[in-house]
Amino acid sequence: MDDSISMEVDGGNITQNPKNLESSEMEEDIKKKKTKAVTSDVWRYFTKLGPGDDGIDRAQCDGCKQKFKAGGKQYGTSSLKRHLDRCVKIDFEDIGQTLIEMQNKMGALKIDNHVSREMFAAFVIDCDVPFSIVDNKKFRNWVKYISPTLGLITRNTLKEDVLKIYSREKEKLKSTLLAIPNRVCLTSDLWTSITTEGYLCLTAHFVDLNWKLQSKILSFCHMPPPHTGFELSSKIFELLNEWGIEKKIMTLTLDNASANDTCQDHLKSTLNMHDWLLCDGEFFHIRCSAHILNLIVQDGLKIAHDALDKIRESVKYVRGSESRMIRFKECVSAIQGLNFTSGLHLDVTTRWNSTYIMLESAIKYRKAFEYLKATDHAYKYCPSVDEWGRAEKICEFLYPFYETTNLISGTSYPTSNLYFLQVYHIQCVLMGSLRSEDELLRSMGEKMMNKFKKYWEKYSVILAFGAILDPRLKISTLELMYEEIDAETAKGKVEHVKKKLYKLFEKYDKNSLPIVQAQGPSIQSSSMAHTPESATKKRLAIVGVSNV
């Protein structure tokens, strides 16, 4: 009998020969080596697939399902680690929380260095923590106490981790922008830091595949001089190419700086040269409504400046020192029925709505200021009864502008459908002020109406579309409002808006026609049974536009 399978019977028990026992132990050692548990942290995010047709082991990413050669001395796990840094399908924060929960249940917590660094970098980004935190001695001692085995990183490593997250999130957003079938609206502005350095901010606004309104900053980058319209347009076009959305732009919203007019004109020409804009860019440029409103009110406040001086000086006086503020609160407490529920606000020249907030806060404590005048002889700025009355009228007059500014400056909801109603409301307020018996309000209204006519005498056509497409408004609302403003020109203005809407809709209809015809013979024959004009009118009837 062969030694490899020879056995002996001893007292009814079967035993192996020593040679066989030694051979069996060797085979078990080989099996243990083959089935040795993987120790690298990357295997938490990859699944082993075994050897492929070429005999080389493969592994698959649990996030994006991409396959890699991995295992053995030749390949190892380096390629897997590099993939983890750029995989956009794995959320390390969620994985970190899952690991913590699982390991807490098991009674032993093993810190994953990769997940730990990802989560710490996310914390630094979210809380605006400086990179120098990792050099803080107290912080490093705390980390060592929490986990002596956790590797401490340097600020350069932290910077790299933050940039990896940025690159990964950028790729996610780029994929989203490329996946949506609709166009993207842009807003841009130029900022100057306290060191007089220029920075350009470009933001994209779009509706994602889940019909959620999204606003994402594409770039906040240094913009070296000169800040001419040509340079601005070149920079924006460069950013559009970087994000791959140069063919998907619908509108660009800018403030009313002269350089921005040149910027949009040059950028529109560049995009039109490649036929990337709808209707040759007729609806491309939109002026910022909030900025126009600011210009309108600022013109009116120049006239009312003297009337507000004493209130402004009163607020400055009370806020000038802690002792004055304490004394003022005592005056408030001394007046029955008056409580110090909100502070006094001082306005700033660049924000007109801060003037409204200052007036509103000061008028509330009118009696307290009068009481302060009687108890503090150093306070010499208390307005008279007439001046308080004038301030109340100005505050009441500015309230609709304040409400409109807040409404159209919203970021969590669409605002294009609000434009027409709000501009109409502002125009009605200004028209009413022209008939005011108060000379100051009448003068403010005249000055503000001149600025209104400069920018809004002709309502923005593209933003009027937003009101038409709002099921609560439709075209009938525009007809009514134009009629109330000027009955003689109302019909012509409505027809102009309808004409432009037809033009834009037909452009979309033309672009979508091949897709409709490609869906099948029945749909194709159905679409051919109607002329493009009749099909367009039927579709426009859905949004409440009557046939021309």
Side-chain angles (χ1 to χ4, degrees), residues 406-452:
N406 290 338
L407 192 62
I408 64 178
S409 300
T411 57
S412 60
Y413 52 86
T415 55
S416 58
N417 60 316
L418 305 175
Y419 164 85
F420 198 92
L421 279 175
Q422 296 306 312
V423 174
Y424 163 78
H425 182 46
I426 293 300
Q427 186 169 5
C428 290
V429 171
L430 292 177
M431 291 170 64
S433 69
L434 298 179
R435 299 185 296 270
S436 175
E437 296 179 358
D438 188 286
E439 184 179 352
L440 176 62
L441 293 184
R442 192 166 58 251
S443 299
M444 289 179 64
E446 291 174 356
K447 190 76 173 176
M448 294 166 71
M449 180 60 85
N450 290 334
K451 185 70 73 173
F452 179 93

Side-chain angles (χ1 to χ4, degrees), residues 397-411:
F397 175 64
L398 293 178
Y399 178 73
F401 299 89
Y402 176 75
E403 284 291 292
T404 299
T405 298
N406 290 338
L407 192 62
I408 64 178
S409 300
T411 57

Side-chain angles (χ1 to χ4, degrees), residues 487-501:
E488 295 182 359
T489 61
K491 185 177 180 180
K493 290 179 179 178
V494 172
E495 291 301 320
H496 177 70
V497 172
K498 289 166 69 174
K499 180 182 178 181
K500 296 299 182 182
L501 180 57

